Amino acid sequence: MGDKATNDIAARVQTLRSQLQAASYAYYVLDAPDLPDEVYDRLYRELQDLEAAHPELVTPDSPTQRVGEKPATQFTSVRHNIPLYSLENAFDLAEFRAWEERWRRQAPDVGQVEYVAELKIDGNALALTYENGVLVRGVTRGDGVSGEDITPNVRTIRSIPLRLNTDNPPPVVEVRGEAFLPLDVFEQINIERAERGEALFANPRNAAAGTLRQLDSRIVAARKLDFFAYTVHLGNGEPENPKSKIQNPKFTTTTQWAALDLLQTLGFRVNPNRQLCQSADDVQAYYDDWATRRLQLSYLTDGVVVKLNDFALQQQLGFTQKFPRWAVALKYPAEEAPTILEDVSFQVGRTGAVTPVAELRPVQLAGTTVSRATLHNADRIAELGIHQGDTVIVRKAGEIIPEVVRVLSELRPENPIAVTMPTHCPQCASALVKPEGEAVTRCINSSCPAIVQGAIIHWARRDALDIEGLGEKWVKQLVEQGLVHSVADLYDLTEETLEPLDRMGKRLAEKLVGAIAASKTRPWASVLYALGIRHVGTVNAKTLAQHFPTVDALAAASPEEIATVHTIGPEIAQAVAQWFEVPANQTLIDRLRQAGLQLAASSSEQALTTAGPLADKTFVLTGTLPTLTRPEATELIEAAGGKVTSSVSKATDYLVAGEKAGSKLTKAEGLGITILSEGDLLALMGQE
């Protein structure tokens, strides 16, 4: 290839990188996407192809390098360039005032000062190093002096720029911030883990920590971590003092507030809910305000970080042996309470996973009465060393499932009986197994009533086949009486078969048979989700159904072909391909086909997805609509080509508001987003 052709390709590669980096900055930092997804995907694919053909052009800051190709075997411990100090905690406003008095004793001549108040993100601290503007290292906090080098995983976090958004950057830039999982992502991960019979993550912070330490960066990418930056160090600045000796004035900052603005300019997300406070009273007002407002956020925060704004004053005050004197973490009260463990039950899920559940003496926690809490798995039981009758501490934050966090062993009754996992299934008495490398104990008897029952309940869910009236009590009877052994058996049921069931009767039998028959019209994506394939939740099912519009197309696809679908990684692809290789599952598909279920997307569905009246429009739903449930409204929007998200941003096109709309409505009005009623939505789709 000639020099001109080579130069043309290199120039095209650089242009593509610049376009994609600008689009990512607009999307993840400014929250104002300016490039349609399909355009971004097309440009990204072009860049991939060019770099594959010309590997000598690949650079560490290329957008294609966010996900590594080869899993790591281990992480290396490295020393931080600048130590990451812990913060002193203040557990109430009185302790905050005491902290203020202490630093003032160190600087008695200082008068009125400014504070910067930032929400304390409940995540995991990261230290990022940029050399000549390019991300070269990402390290966990560790002990503050050394941490683990997890650079391949850090590259997958879309809100962390691979290249700083500036010309002529300083030779070295150090950025500190918090990696975290948004609550909706955390909830979806746990839903999918529950569907697969895996142990649930206890909270978003633990989930984020576990994600960051995954050896396969492709798994990290799939979990959609986010990041807020809060500190920048330029050149050889002092710890926690971003004041630069660099001559370029645009990189010189003298206050924490200015440093946060600089971080945003450099391409980082900075928490938008920060506040510049003129006094300790302003800090108190900020703290009080967010004590309740924080529950409406899309991420968890457990307090407020307060820093003196002036860097010169920070430098004057310095550090104790453990903490900076000029910053404090003002924590909110812990959502924990003690109670008595009265018993432990063991639940068997549809995948055979056996989950221990603590049966507790009822206790008030986070505004609700808690009487049950997860014990996760055998490893957690052993870690807690829990016994019958123990006094335990239970925690519940936001919408997180209550969990037992520790045992007060000093209050243990006499002659206690240790809690252990059963050796045999509590439902079918089959021997339980704990596969090597897994935390979950499983029943592997596919005929286990609990597994069959769980599969049918999942099949009948509203977001699956939506079989109205087929609740848990009827499913239990059907399984116990041997009327169904798989979901396919549902379509052989008759009114005469159902009528003898306890409290069924003729009318209910007619309704249930009718509802089962009606489920045959549910779309291919719903059927795919209802099959209960590991890792395939509602979102992944819809994505796969769009790319593989028939069951035969999906069954014939290789893991490599499936993995090419956007957001579908190798792990999911492998699970799908393996599911279709199982003879019993092939038989199930044949039976469902004979029963008349939708195993292919209709031509109208395919057309609406790409060219519907709501194509490329993003919606958020809030409040209670007059006639539509939230899932029904979501289904209508998606069927018309639109997309539904959980949080309001500049990328939102419409907010559909019903009765008792809350903070989302306020935010949408502030951003100038069009507000729709249910009637407006239907009219937009041409249904009125």
Side-chain angles (χ1 to χ4, degrees):
M1 184 178 296
D3 290 343
K4 184 178 185 305
T6 302
N7 291 338
D8 288 347
I9 292 170
R12 179 59 178 169
V13 165
Q14 189 55 49
T15 299
L16 287 168
R17 285 176 188 160
S18 297
Q19 287 178 312
L20 292 169
Q21 286 161 355
S24 292
Y25 178 69
Y27 188 96
Y28 292 105
V29 179
L30 303 180
D31 205 13
D34 57 2
L35 202 65
D37 289 349
E38 61 271 18
V39 176
Y40 183 97
D41 292 343
R42 191 162 59 246
L43 296 176
Y44 185 91
R45 179 60 60 88
E46 182 184 351
L47 179 60
Q48 274 186 316
D49 293 343
L50 288 172
E51 290 183 342
H54 304 276
E56 71 279 3
L57 298 178
V58 178
T59 60
D61 62 319
S62 174
T64 63
Q65 301 305 295
R66 284 201 177 274
V67 183
E69 294 299 322
K70 189 180 289 184
T73 56
Q74 62 181 16
F75 295 121
T76 304
S77 178
V78 296
R79 192 174 183 86
H80 291 299
N81 297 329
I82 302 171
L84 276 75
Y85 288 84
S86 301
L87 292 180
E88 182 180 358
N89 288 324
F91 291 100
D92 53 41
L93 290 164
E95 291 189 2
F96 170 71
R97 296 285 183 171
W99 166 81
E100 185 183 42
E101 290 176 6
R102 285 196 298 276
W103 78 252
R104 284 191 175 279
R105 286 197 293 270
Q106 297 288 324
D109 298 330
V110 174
Q112 186 175 351
V113 296
E114 291 180 328
Y115 293 107
V116 175
E118 304 170 64
L119 294 178
K120 185 178 182 296
I121 309 303
D122 195 14
N124 301 91
L126 295 180
L128 313 175
T129 303
Y130 291 80
E131 293 180 358
N132 298 315
V134 177
L135 176 67
V136 296
R137 194 173 81 159
V139 183
T140 63
R141 183 186 179 279
D143 61 3
V145 177
S146 300
E148 289 182 313
D149 189 334
I150 56 167
T151 306
N153 292 348
V154 168
R155 291 182 184 278
T156 70
I157 303 174
R158 299 280 176 175
S159 46
I160 293 178
L162 299 179
R163 173 180 287 276
L164 298 178
N165 184 43
T166 184
D167 297 326
N168 302 315
V172 179
V173 176
E174 293 274 334
V175 173
R176 307 292 163 79
E178 202 82 1
F180 64 95
L181 272 178
L183 288 173
D184 58 344
V185 176
F186 170 73
E187 182 181 1
Q188 186 60 37
I189 289 173
N190 263 352
I191 288 172
E192 293 177 0
R193 290 178 72 86
E195 291 170 351
R196 299 192 298 266
E198 298 175 355
L200 301 184
F201 284 122
N203 53 58
R205 178 170 51 79
N206 287 356
T211 298
L212 287 169
R213 298 195 75 258
Q214 287 284 334
L215 294 173
D216 190 342
S217 60
R218 293 166 294 188
I219 297 174
V220 185
R223 291 193 180 163
K224 300 177 181 177
L225 286 165
D226 209 338
F227 181 82
F228 283 133
Y230 52 69
T231 300
V232 58
H233 306 269
L234 305 178
N236 295 315
E238 296 297 322
E240 299 296 330
N241 178 11
K243 185 175 181 179
S244 175
K245 296 182 174 70
I246 296 172
Q247 298 303 310
N248 191 334
K250 76 176 182 179
F251 298 120
T252 301
T253 56
T254 59
T255 65
Q256 171 67 11
W257 192 257
L260 293 173
D261 287 342
L262 174 61
L263 279 166
Q264 191 159 338
T265 301
L266 292 174
F268 294 91
R269 285 192 73 198
V270 176
N271 194 292
N273 299 309
R274 61 192 184 277
Q275 182 172 314
L276 184 61
C277 300
Q278 302 302 316
S279 66
D281 289 341
D282 287 352
V283 172
Q284 180 169 333
Y286 176 90
Y287 175 83
D288 290 341
D289 181 38
W290 283 103
T292 53
R293 286 179 64 195
R294 65 193 177 98
L295 302 176
Q296 301 171 4
L297 293 169
S298 60
Y299 50 86
L300 284 183
T301 172
D302 57 355
V304 173
V305 174
V306 184
K307 298 178 181 177
L308 285 162
N309 190 36
D310 183 51
F311 285 150
L313 181 55
Q314 289 186 14
Q315 204 163 13
Q316 178 185 343
L317 292 171
F319 298 77
T320 67
Q321 288 187 338
K322 294 183 178 180
F323 312 118
R325 291 190 177 93
W326 41 264
V328 68
L330 180 53
K331 305 292 286 286
Y332 289 112
E335 294 174 310
E336 297 182 349
T339 188
I340 303 297
L341 176 72
E342 296 185 333
D343 199 3
V344 177
S345 59
F346 297 91
Q347 297 180 340
V348 184
R350 63 179 178 85
T351 62
V354 180
T355 302
V357 178
E359 307 291 343
L360 307 168
R361 187 173 296 172
V363 62
Q364 284 293 312
L365 193 62
T368 62
T369 300
V370 173
S371 58
R372 311 181 83 218
T374 181
L375 290 168
H376 298 292
N377 50 50
D379 293 347
R380 183 58 175 158
I381 287 176
E383 182 184 346
L384 288 168
I386 197 166
H387 292 65
Q388 298 279 1
D390 269 345
T391 299
V392 297
I393 302 297
V394 186
R395 177 171 62 200
K396 182 174 183 276
E399 299 300 315
I400 297 173
I401 299 170
E403 64 162 343
V404 175
V405 291
R406 61 185 183 278
V407 174
L408 302 180
S409 56
E410 63 273 19
L411 300 179
R412 181 167 290 156
E414 293 184 5
N415 303 315
I417 300 173
V419 175
T420 58
M421 290 290 290
T423 58
H424 290 74
C425 177
Q427 293 292 322
C428 70
S430 299
L432 298 176
V433 300
K434 188 172 181 289
E436 188 176 351
E438 290 190 24
V440 179
T441 302
R442 296 183 186 276
C443 173
I444 57 174
N445 174 18
S446 60
S447 300
C448 174
I451 295 175
V452 176
Q453 184 174 318
I456 296 172
I457 290 171
H458 176 74
W459 182 265
R461 287 176 52 160
R462 184 187 294 267
D463 50 2
L465 272 292
D466 192 20
I467 303 178
E468 188 176 355
L470 187 58
E472 187 173 343
K473 70 173 185 177
W474 297 125
V475 174
K476 187 176 181 182
Q477 285 195 65
L478 290 170
V479 174
E480 288 177 346
Q481 298 193 25
L483 297 176
V484 294
H485 303 280
S486 82
V487 296
D489 292 333
L490 293 172
Y491 300 93
D492 295 331
L493 295 173
T494 64
E495 295 169 17
E496 292 74 23
T497 308
L498 293 172
E499 216 175 306
L501 294 178
D502 185 36
R503 299 188 179 183
M504 174 63 74
K506 185 173 182 176
R507 283 189 64 189
L508 283 178
E510 289 176 353
K511 283 187 175 181
L512 188 52
V513 169
I516 293 172
S519 75
K520 296 179 182 181
T521 64
R522 293 284 288 166
W524 159 225
S526 297
V527 177
L528 177 56
Y529 167 63
L531 291 172
I533 301 172
R534 196 174 187 188
H535 303 302
V536 180
T538 53
V539 175
N540 286 335
K542 289 175 182 176
T543 301
L544 287 168
Q546 287 173 0
H547 286 80
F548 301 95
T550 69
V551 68
D552 295 327
L554 183 57
S558 67
E560 292 74 22
E561 290 170 329
I562 299 171
T564 63
V565 178
H566 184 59
T567 74
I568 304 296
E571 187 178 9
I572 301 172
Q574 194 66 41
V576 173
Q578 287 176 347
W579 192 93
F580 281 102
E581 289 173 356
V582 176
N585 294 335
Q586 295 169 5
T587 301
L588 173 62
I589 293 297
D590 289 339
R591 290 191 63 193
L592 294 175
R593 195 193 310 271
Q594 294 168 14
L597 275 85
Q598 304 300 309
L599 300 178
S602 67
S603 56
S604 60
E605 287 170 344
Q606 294 182 53
L608 279 172
T609 300
T610 57
L614 306 183
D616 301 324
K617 300 299 183 184
T618 300
F619 292 76
V620 173
L621 305 172
T622 186
T624 304
L625 300 178
T627 65
L628 295 172
T629 65
R630 191 73 61 86
E632 288 170 345
T634 300
E635 188 172 332
L636 284 172
I637 292 168
E638 291 178 343
K643 181 172 68 173
V644 179
T645 61
S646 59
S647 56
V648 176
S649 71
K650 292 178 182 177
T652 305
D653 295 296
Y654 299 103
L655 179 84
V656 183
E659 189 179 351
K660 295 182 180 178
S663 60
K664 291 180 182 178
L665 177 59
T666 305
K667 185 174 181 180
E669 290 171 339
L671 293 172
I673 292 166
T674 302
I675 313 298
L676 302 178
S677 65
E678 179 183 297
D680 295 332
L681 173 64
L682 296 174
L684 203 60
M685 294 186 292
Q687 297 193 21
E688 269 200 356

